[in-house]
Amino acid sequence: MTCAIYCRLSKEDEDKREESESIQNQKALLVRYAAEEGWEIYKIYSDEDYSGIDRSRPGFNALIADAGQKKFDIVLCKTQSRFTRDMELVEKYIHHQFLLWGIRFVTVVDHIDTQVKGNKKARQINGLINEWYLEDLSENIRAVFDQKRRSGQYIGSFPVYGYEKDPGNHNHLIVDEQAARVVRKIFGWYLGGNGKQHIAYLLNQEGIPNPTKYKQGKGYAYVNAMSTNTYGLWNRTTVGRILKNQMYIGTLVQGVKRKVSYKSKRFAAVPKEEWICIPDSHAAIIDEETFRMAQLLMETRTRTDGTGDTHSLAGRVRCMDCGSILCKTSHTYQGERRSYLRCKLYTTGKSKGLCTSHSIRLDALSQLVEDQIREYVGSYYEVRDPKQFALEDDTEMKKAAITQEISSVSLQIRKRSDALKSLYLDKTAGIIDREQFADLNETFAAEKKSLTLRLEQLEEEHKNIAAGAGADGNIVQRVEELLRLRVITRELVSLLIDTIQVSEKNPDTGEQNIKINWTI
């Protein structure tokens, strides 16, 4: 008779990892037992670091496939739990499929043998005990992890983009300045009026790799299951996640997802009120006021016009009669493209026509609101010498961050060059075909081109800083511009205005009432 030997050891058995439980000793025990019984060994299958509940074990699945083809007569394991801890698999294979295939199941330590009549109840009891053990273990592990989260320990396998794990304490995060600079750019661009799609475009134009590509470039074995491309490109979803992430203000946020069952690999979202949030757990990349303003802008749920740009009044203009948002629409009049705002209940969905248009030209309303803001601010604030608002010189910090990024990008370019050379050699040697070569060559070449563009930009930035073209002059200029209100940004509108109410036009006089509800 021929037998197949199956061995398994997993992380759940870490407290039992004495020599007798090792894969090698399981094999030795089972080989000796097979020899004593006079059985010929067909093959030894094994899985290490796989749970007994895991159905994707490669050794286990190879065993089942060969059993289905009746390549052996007996399956031999140390214990039933080595084969599986899942009661459903016990019933499916030990009590059903193996019987249909004419395969005997035998264990050495707990004396399971499907050839022995009356042994089935013992196998079922063993199966239940093994599954209960896993269920209890899962609950205990979850409790330990929750305790670590509540004590402010970061337990993620990979750090959040913008941070890295502290070499002295892997449960603590420290700022990764290279990625943190990108996070600050994203918030700055968003508060400056750019939409999420346009920010993604700007990042791709600069050749900045997205968080997945960046982590992989640093050597992390990170895979984003939600990623739709392998080119390291940004998209609006990734930008949106960064803008909403409280981690960037120093708050440790964990427990946002939970496994639906210890038997499943699926995760379910946890209600926000049940998240474990620990303030001041690590250094902040974004100050709280900047973060609050970003959330305020996103709460308006505005949409862009396809270019990634959002008009400064988006989400704040309301119908004076029904209270609905006035939506943007455009049409051409005498060869000129004009944008208007109209009541949502007049223009869309099943409710279309439930209100009148309340139509108003966007440029006219924007000009009126900007004039009102200047007058409103002017009555409260006096423009002072902008130099007093100049921020502390951070030239050295920026130089160090740019130098670090130059080094990283240069390394990535060298890797792509080496990959292109290896690719050509593989094609010449016949390891890959022409189609595979063309596809991979195009990918590596595009990545190298993007990285080279980024390197040129970084070197130019470094050159400007080294020549004394620091940020102070730009800061003073920006402060002066903001204080004199030459440009009314969406950020300023959000800070000062709660809503803008627009009435329907008077059919006789053409007059239209505009009411601004200020926040302060």
Side-chain angles (χ1 to χ4, degrees):
M1 299 184 77
T2 58
C3 77
I5 290 175
Y6 179 72
C7 309
R8 182 185 64 80
L9 194 66
S10 72
K11 292 178 180 178
E12 72 209 23
D13 302 304
E14 283 181 350
D15 59 335
K16 300 179 181 178
R17 285 201 176 206
E18 60 269 12
E19 187 66 15
S20 63
E21 283 292 338
S22 71
I23 289 287
Q24 290 73 21
N25 279 279
Q26 285 185 53
K27 289 178 182 178
L29 171 69
L30 297 173
V31 167
R32 186 168 60 250
Y33 186 88
E36 290 172 355
E37 294 293 323
W39 299 337
E40 179 185 349
I41 297 174
Y42 169 74
K43 188 176 180 180
I44 298 176
Y45 305 82
S46 65
D47 288 309
E48 191 156 9
D49 287 334
Y50 280 91
S51 168
I53 209 81
D54 193 341
R55 300 188 180 199
S56 63
R57 288 173 276 158
F60 177 83
N61 287 323
L63 170 76
I64 296 300
D66 289 345
Q69 296 178 36
K70 302 180 181 179
K71 293 183 177 181
F72 43 79
D73 307 301
I74 301 166
V75 172
L76 180 63
C77 298
K78 181 180 179 181
T79 63
Q80 183 175 304
S81 66
R82 295 302 97 197
F83 179 74
T84 184
R85 290 183 183 274
D86 188 336
M87 189 61 192
E88 187 178 335
L89 293 185
V90 170
E91 292 297 320
K92 180 177 180 179
Y93 292 112
I94 297 178
H95 295 154
H96 183 64
Q97 291 297 140
F98 285 177
L99 296 178
L100 292 178
W101 295 335
I103 291 175
R104 179 180 171 192
F105 180 78
V106 178
T107 67
V108 176
V109 175
D110 46 5
H111 310 296
I112 299 297
D113 189 344
T114 53
Q115 198 175 60
V116 177
K117 292 185 178 180
N119 195 242
K120 184 176 181 181
K121 288 186 175 65
R123 296 195 296 269
Q124 290 175 323
I125 291 171
N126 268 348
L128 285 171
I129 291 172
N130 288 327
E131 186 158 329
W132 291 339
Y133 167 79
L134 265 192
E135 188 173 4
D136 290 342
L137 183 65
S138 174
E139 290 299 319
N140 290 337
I141 291 173
R142 180 177 291 181
V144 170
F145 281 169
D146 274 355
Q147 180 56 39
K148 285 187 174 183
R149 293 185 185 108
R150 295 183 193 283
S151 64
Q153 297 183 57
Y154 182 76
I155 64 170
S157 301
F158 305 98
V160 176
Y161 181 71
Y163 291 95
E164 55 189 356
K165 290 190 176 183
D166 188 338
N169 178 8
H170 283 195
N171 294 122
H172 180 252
L173 296 176
I174 58 176
V175 175
D176 175 357
E177 190 55 43
Q178 183 178 340
R181 288 177 68 240
V182 179
V183 173
R184 295 187 192 106
K185 273 188 175 184
I186 290 171
F187 276 86
W189 279 334
Y190 189 69
L191 294 184
N194 295 282
K196 287 176 278 191
Q197 185 65 51
H198 191 58
I199 291 173
Y201 168 79
L202 294 173
L203 292 166
N204 291 330
Q205 280 292 100
E206 290 194 12
I208 298 173
N210 67 11
T212 297
K213 203 72 172 179
Y214 180 78
K215 290 176 185 178
Q216 292 171 348
K218 296 197 74 173
Y220 293 117
Y222 179 79
V223 177
N224 183 356
M226 304 299 291
S227 178
T228 56
N229 71 72
T230 58
Y231 304 108
L233 298 177
W234 290 79
N235 56 52
R236 59 177 290 122
T237 302
T238 304
V239 172
R241 287 199 189 105
I242 287 176
L243 289 169
K244 293 176 183 177
N245 198 338
Q246 295 181 67
M247 295 285 283
Y248 296 120
I249 59 173
T251 298
L252 186 63
V253 181
Q254 297 186 103
V256 300
K257 291 183 179 179
R258 182 180 295 140
K259 257 193 171 186
V260 296
S261 164
Y262 67 94
K263 285 187 174 184
S264 173
K265 292 185 178 181
R266 291 182 57 207
F267 286 82
V270 173
K272 194 169 184 178
E273 58 271 15
E274 295 179 22
W275 293 0
I276 299 174
C277 302
I278 310 296
D280 303 319
S281 170
H282 50 270
I285 293 175
I286 302 298
D287 64 85
E288 292 192 21
E289 183 59 25
T290 298
F291 186 80
R292 186 186 70 82
M293 285 301 305
Q295 308 318 298
L296 188 63
L297 289 177
M298 281 189 284
E299 283 173 8
T300 59
R301 299 183 181 181
T302 57
R303 295 185 180 180
T304 68
D305 56 7
T307 65
D309 297 322
T310 305
H311 68 84
S312 61
L313 308 183
R316 302 199 173 272
V317 187
R318 300 262 175 182
C319 173
M320 192 174 284
D321 295 314
C322 72
S324 298
I325 288 177
L326 266 61
C327 299
K328 183 180 175 182
T329 183
S330 302
H331 68 262
T332 302
Y333 177 74
Q334 295 183 349
E336 180 185 356
R337 189 71 174 171
R338 293 179 178 178
S339 295
Y340 292 81
L341 297 180
R342 288 178 178 171
C343 178
K344 184 177 182 179
L345 294 190
Y346 174 76
T347 58
T348 60
K350 295 180 180 179
S351 56
K352 183 175 180 179
L354 294 181
C355 191
T356 53
S357 71
H358 292 70
S359 178
I360 185 169
R361 278 184 60 169
L362 178 57
D363 57 352
L365 179 62
S366 297
Q367 186 61 56
L368 183 148
V369 171
E370 288 180 8
D371 291 342
Q372 289 291 311
I373 287 177
R374 291 188 182 96
E375 183 179 339
Y376 184 81
V377 173
S379 64
Y380 285 94
Y381 300 99
E382 179 183 353
V383 178
R384 306 174 190 172
D385 182 1
K387 291 183 180 180
Q388 65 182 297
F389 296 102
L391 303 180
E392 182 180 345
D393 187 5
D394 59 353
T395 302
E396 290 305 317
M397 184 182 72
K398 288 186 176 181
K399 281 176 63 178
I402 290 175
T403 301
Q404 182 182 358
E405 190 173 351
I406 286 174
S407 176
S408 176
V409 172
S410 298
L411 177 62
Q412 292 300 316
I413 291 174
R414 287 197 296 274
K415 286 183 177 180
R416 298 307 186 280
S417 297
D418 292 342
L420 287 167
K421 292 176 184 176
S422 299
L423 201 61
Y424 180 76
L425 293 175
D426 288 345
K427 176 179 175 291
T428 305
I431 297 173
I432 60 175
D433 60 30
R434 182 180 298 178
E435 185 178 341
Q436 289 172 320
F437 172 79
D439 186 40
L440 292 170
N441 185 68
E442 182 181 357
T443 299
F444 287 137
E447 290 178 353
K448 183 180 177 182
K449 182 178 179 181
S450 177
L451 289 165
T452 301
L453 175 63
R454 179 57 181 159
L455 181 61
E456 291 172 357
Q457 293 171 333
L458 288 168
E459 288 174 341
E460 184 66 25
E461 283 185 50
H462 191 274
K463 180 181 176 182
N464 290 338
I465 292 177
D472 281 354
N474 291 333
I475 292 170
V476 171
Q477 184 179 0
R478 178 62 175 157
V479 170
E480 182 178 14
E481 180 182 284
L482 288 172
L483 289 175
R484 296 191 185 282
L485 302 178
R486 293 190 178 98
V487 176
I488 304 297
T489 64
R490 186 166 172 239
E491 174 187 3
L492 188 58
V493 171
S494 300
L495 180 65
L496 297 177
I497 295 177
D498 180 33
T499 55
I500 302 164
Q501 293 177 292
V502 177
S503 74
E504 183 60 273
K505 286 182 181 178
N506 186 310
D508 299 322
T509 64
E511 291 182 357
Q512 193 169 22
N513 293 329
I514 311 293
K515 181 182 179 183
I516 299 176
N517 298 306
W518 305 95
T519 59
I520 54 177

